[in-house]
Amino acid sequence: MLPLDPQADIGRRAWVACPRCADSDGCARCAKRRTCAEHWRYLLANSGSVLHLQCPSCGHVWDHETGFGATRPARRRTIDDLPRS
């Protein structure tokens, strides 16, 4: 398991399924898209409609496009997210 990101704060949470461990599978509250006391994610930061998250169960860090509000076009998002040398 990865260590927690320094930005991880239990006061900043999001309820998005983890793409790695899927620990919320089978949870009735999560299936109804309700907030759940067990299956939340650390909300590390956000860039517009993109959330930067970490799963407290497996430590996985990922970005999640919410599609809410001002989203960036897919082409620009892909170019912006490439590592810079």
Side-chain angles (χ1 to χ4, degrees):
M1 181 169 110
L2 292 172
L4 287 179
D5 186 280
Q7 297 298 316
D9 177 359
I10 197 165
R12 292 181 41 127
R13 296 180 284 178
W15 284 264
V16 176
C18 176
R20 179 174 288 163
C21 72
D23 63 345
S24 60
D25 287 357
C27 175
R29 287 192 65 82
C30 292
K32 293 179 182 177
R33 300 177 64 98
R34 308 286 296 186
T35 57
C36 174
E38 294 180 45
H39 305 115
W40 51 269
R41 313 300 168 210
Y42 288 108
L43 175 59
L44 303 177
N46 72 293
S47 301
S49 61
V50 179
L51 305 179
H52 308 288
L53 305 163
Q54 183 171 25
C55 177
S57 297
C58 70
H60 181 58
V61 177
W62 78 101
D63 293 339
H64 174 76
E65 172 62 67
T66 65
F68 183 79
T71 59
R72 295 181 295 173
R75 178 178 160 86
R76 178 158 179 214
R77 188 170 54 240
T78 304
I79 292 169
D80 287 348
D81 294 341
L82 291 174
R84 299 177 198 269
S85 23

